[in-house]
Amino acid sequence: MPARRSQPDTSETLYTEYLYTNFIPSDDECRRIRDLVGLKAQEFEKATDELERLQASVDRVTRKREQLQQFIDSHLALVSPARRLPQDILGEIFMACLSENGYASMKPSEAPLLLCRLCRDWRNLALSMPRLWASLHFPEFLYLRPSHDSAQLELWLNRSGGLPLSIFLAIDTKLVLQSLVDQAHRWENIRLKDLMHSTLKILAQLSPEDVPLLKTVVIENRYYEETILSFLRAAHIRRLSLRSGSFGVQNLTSPLGVSHLCLHELPSVHTLHLLRHCPLLETCTLTDSYSYSLALDVGPRIHLERMRYLCIIERSDSRDVLEHIFLPNLRSLEYSNDGRGRRDFPLDILASLCAPEMVTDLNLSIEISTELLANVLRPFSMLQKLILHVRRVFLRGGVPKCSLFTLLTPSSLSPAEVLCPHLQSICSLGFDAGSDEELLTMIDTRRTGIQPLANVHVAFTRKLQVDILPRLPRDLAIDLCYPTEDDAKLIRPGPDERQVARKSLRFRAPVPPDTLQLQLWRNDLDADWDPISREWLAEYDEWGLEEEELEEDAKDKLFDENSDEDS
């Protein structure tokens, strides 16, 4: 061992190079190390005592700070703006706390019950506001104890005073429905979802005179049932939506005052009978009308002079209904064929049910060739807005076959020879297979001699080719959406990727359109319903994938069809 290591020294650097090694000191070195550690142990004890003293001081100052903060906060709370809000303004805030659908939920974690749990003053104010309790939502996931059902419902209704009621019942419970029927004279809006036939029959006891305030009725059944509901004949009902059942509409004998109508999965003969008795109809959505006893005499063709908006969602052949109606003043026409039924486009039927030169908005969700699309658009000479859509879940069957950009590019400067010369807005959602340069050419050529485009929204099914945004006019509102490379693979998966796409990643399941579910069913009666195309736009806002299940029938059909096409 080097001599320098045997020299007595208490410096801490003497053994620095041996620390954290396998060095074995001699007996003398052990003695020196213990002496060195003894000196440092005394310094350690002094440092510990000093730290405890300082920590005690910190704790004392911290406690004082917390007391001061508590004093400040408690006194400032006395002069907070929330305490000084007038009761009427605070009441409006309470009303804004209700769900987006506008009706109150019975969940304790949501308004208005939540407002009653915050403080005594807020509770008293909430309980003194009948309009806060004038709506009621029994959600699907809320299961009340039978012994408390009637008591809770009676308490809620008592708080609403005598105001008209808006009710959404999504629980199949006879006890609750019977209690609501006892208040039928106060109904203004009623929505019933997925009730069993035996439960729904409770409504059969109501007559039109029993519901003098009723304006909106939504009945959504899961399975078709024949239930006669006489109160639907009330002439003051303005909004009516029926699903999977005739509900006695075949017994109508006098005109109704309905202005907004949605019919889903009703027999054609009942659909036509109801349309004939709604002369004031302004908007209408027809979904899956099917032939059933149409051999019966349906009478002359139905003319609906006030109809402005028509939406047809077709999974089977709806010609039986469309051939028997005429809408001379139709402004907006939407047609959707989701690909599970017939795929041919009923051009002759749609062109004959309205005056094409009156239509300004045309929204289509279909698979169609360029030639057929030209024939579809040609009669609509005054068209201003065009939306073409292909659902993302059906893009796996192949790329779009239609070239919209080329079709709408004028080949002549004469407005009489240009397709849709008054077009201002174009929206292509997964529909067009054209290039970026073709899109640019269409926009440029339509700025000369005819109405220039003001709004263009395109969601491509391919990656970006050329950035055309710097070459576009500044006054054009344009939105171009391109999928990522991973998205593109899942749109058109190869043979090895198809099973992976099927079992793991799924396209976002489309949200049911608002026109069907009537999420705005409590809005102003004079306002039009949101078109189904709003859901098409939302579908392409983001190209990302989610772990959401498709509807079982759509999912199974989709992969069956793709497998057949591959083979």
Side-chain angles (χ1 to χ4, degrees):
M1 182 175 295
R4 67 178 179 83
R5 298 178 183 172
S6 61
Q7 294 178 357
D9 190 359
T10 58
S11 174
E12 63 179 356
T13 61
L14 180 62
Y15 299 97
T16 299
E17 60 181 302
Y18 302 113
L19 298 177
Y20 312 110
T21 68
N22 293 329
F23 167 67
I24 301 177
S26 64
D27 292 342
D28 291 340
E29 288 172 327
C30 288
R31 192 165 45 253
R32 296 190 189 98
I33 292 173
R34 291 190 181 95
D35 293 341
L36 180 61
V37 170
L39 295 175
K40 296 301 179 182
Q42 295 177 5
E43 295 181 15
F44 177 80
E45 292 177 359
K46 292 180 180 180
T48 301
D49 294 340
E50 181 67 13
L51 179 61
E52 292 177 351
R53 185 184 65 80
L54 293 176
Q55 186 63 49
S57 298
V58 171
D59 292 342
R60 183 173 59 256
V61 175
T62 299
R63 288 193 298 271
K64 183 177 181 179
R65 180 179 180 275
E66 291 175 351
Q67 293 172 356
L68 293 173
Q69 185 67 55
Q70 183 178 5
F71 180 89
I72 293 172
D73 291 344
S74 60
H75 284 72
L76 285 180
L78 296 176
V79 296
S80 65
R83 288 177 180 265
R84 301 175 62 84
L85 283 176
Q87 295 290 292
D88 55 343
I89 294 180
L90 189 58
E92 293 301 323
I93 294 176
F94 282 7
M95 293 299 300
C97 291
L98 297 179
S99 65
E100 294 180 357
N101 291 320
Y103 45 76
S105 172
M106 293 196 71
K107 292 181 60 177
S109 59
E110 296 182 8
L113 292 179
L114 178 62
L115 300 174
C116 297
R117 302 169 59 188
L118 299 178
C119 69
R120 182 176 57 186
D121 291 341
W122 282 25
R123 174 181 173 82
N124 292 337
L125 177 59
L127 295 180
S128 67
M129 293 179 57
R131 62 192 182 114
L132 195 63
W133 309 88
S135 61
L136 178 60
H137 180 201
F138 284 88
E140 299 90 331
F141 49 80
L142 182 63
Y143 294 95
L144 304 178
R145 288 174 291 178
S147 60
H148 291 175
D149 279 356
S150 297
Q152 291 190 14
L153 181 57
E154 181 180 0
L155 180 61
W156 188 290
L157 296 177
N158 288 338
R159 292 172 180 174
S160 66
L163 295 181
L165 297 174
S166 295
I167 299 168
F168 179 12
L169 178 62
I171 300 178
D172 187 69
T173 165
K174 295 182 180 179
L175 183 61
V176 170
L177 184 58
Q178 184 60 59
S179 299
L180 294 175
V181 166
D182 295 337
Q183 299 290 328
H185 62 282
R186 296 173 55 195
W187 287 0
E188 183 177 32
N189 305 294
I190 182 72
R191 179 176 179 179
L192 306 174
K193 181 178 179 181
D194 292 340
L195 302 188
M196 299 297 293
H197 178 55
S198 57
T199 303
L200 199 61
K201 288 175 63 177
I202 296 176
L203 299 177
Q205 60 186 284
L206 295 176
S207 67
E209 293 74 21
D210 293 327
V211 287
L213 305 179
L214 191 58
K215 296 179 180 178
T216 301
V217 179
V218 181
I219 303 179
E220 303 177 49
N221 276 3
R222 186 172 301 177
Y223 304 105
Y224 183 89
E225 292 288 352
E226 180 64 35
T227 306
I228 297 179
L229 302 180
S230 300
F231 77 93
L232 295 181
R233 300 201 298 267
H236 43 267
I237 295 177
R238 295 294 176 263
R239 291 174 179 261
L240 179 61
S241 179
L242 303 177
R243 184 185 188 96
S244 298
S246 68
F247 308 105
V249 297
Q250 67 274 21
N251 298 323
L252 291 174
T253 57
S254 58
L256 303 180
V258 175
S259 57
H260 306 285
L261 181 66
C262 284
L263 301 178
H264 320 282
E265 302 173 8
L266 264 66
S268 300
V269 64
H270 294 160
T271 298
L272 290 172
H273 191 78
L274 187 54
L275 290 175
R276 188 177 302 280
H277 287 80
C278 296
L280 303 181
L281 208 56
E282 298 176 8
T283 66
C284 182
T285 298
L286 301 176
T287 304
D288 289 347
S289 294
Y290 57 91
S291 298
Y292 175 70
S293 300
L294 199 57
L296 300 176
D297 183 15
V298 295
R301 197 175 190 188
I302 304 170
H303 285 240
L304 298 172
E305 301 287 342
R306 296 194 178 191
M307 181 83 78
R308 297 295 185 271
Y309 165 71
L310 174 65
C311 175
I312 304 166
I313 303 176
E314 187 180 52
R315 297 187 180 95
S316 58
D317 197 336
S318 61
R319 293 173 181 260
D320 290 339
V321 171
L322 302 182
E323 288 177 342
H324 289 83
I325 60 176
F326 181 62
L327 317 173
N329 296 307
L330 191 68
R331 296 292 187 270
S332 178
L333 174 61
E334 294 193 7
Y335 176 85
S336 173
N337 185 324
D338 69 1
R340 289 187 287 176
R342 49 178 292 238
R343 299 203 177 193
D344 59 311
F345 183 75
L347 173 60
D348 54 336
I349 299 297
L350 293 183
S352 64
L353 69 82
C354 65
E357 65 277 5
M358 299 292 292
V359 176
T360 58
D361 294 358
L362 182 63
N363 307 328
L364 305 175
S365 179
I366 53 175
E367 293 183 15
I368 192 172
S369 65
T370 305
E371 295 74 19
L372 182 55
L373 181 60
N375 294 333
V376 171
L377 297 180
R378 192 164 288 112
F380 298 95
S381 57
M382 300 302 293
L383 201 63
Q384 298 178 13
K385 182 179 180 181
L386 175 64
I387 297 180
L388 298 173
H389 166 261
V390 174
R391 282 177 55 183
R392 286 184 357 195
V393 292
F394 294 109
L395 289 177
R396 298 186 190 179
V399 298
K401 303 177 179 61
C402 187
S403 180
L404 174 65
F405 306 150
T406 304
L407 180 63
L408 293 179
T409 300
S411 57
S412 170
L413 297 181
S414 172
E417 301 179 9
V418 176
L419 196 62
C420 304
H422 300 280
L423 199 59
Q424 300 178 22
S425 177
I426 295 177
C427 184
S428 172
L429 305 172
F431 188 88
D432 198 279
S435 65
D436 294 317
E437 290 290 353
E438 289 174 339
L439 172 60
L440 178 62
T441 301
M442 180 195 71
I443 295 174
D444 287 341
T445 53
R446 294 189 70 91
R447 295 182 65 85
T448 305
I450 59 174
Q451 173 70 44
L453 292 173
N455 189 298
V456 175
H457 183 136
V458 181
F460 291 95
T461 60
R462 55 165 175 79
K463 295 186 294 183
L464 173 67
Q465 298 170 340
V466 179
D467 185 8
I468 63 174
L469 293 180
R471 300 155 61 183
L472 293 173
R474 294 181 177 273
D475 60 345
L476 176 66
I478 187 166
D479 183 14
L480 304 181
C481 180
Y482 299 88
T484 65
E485 185 173 350
D486 291 338
D487 293 333
K489 289 180 180 178
L490 287 166
I491 293 172
R492 296 180 294 276
D496 296 334
E497 300 167 330
R498 187 172 301 278
Q499 290 299 321
V500 175
R502 177 175 181 175
K503 294 179 180 179
S504 59
L505 295 176
R506 300 180 177 90
F507 282 91
R508 181 182 293 111
V511 180
D514 279 352
T515 45
L516 302 184
Q517 299 300 326
L518 294 181
Q519 294 181 9
L520 302 179
W521 59 290
R522 296 190 63 225
N523 282 9
D524 181 32
L525 293 178
D526 295 329
D528 290 336
W529 292 342
D530 279 354
I532 186 178
S533 53
R534 189 171 71 86
E535 296 298 336
W536 302 346
L537 288 166
E539 184 186 14
Y540 280 87
D541 277 347
E542 296 180 1
W543 271 98
L545 299 174
E546 292 182 355
E547 286 289 340
E548 291 191 19
E549 295 287 343
L550 298 172
E551 300 177 55
E552 287 299 323
D553 52 347
K555 180 179 63 175
D556 296 337
K557 198 74 173 181
L558 167 66
F559 291 113
D560 292 340
E561 290 173 358
N562 286 344
S563 300
D564 294 339
E565 291 173 4
D566 291 341
S567 60

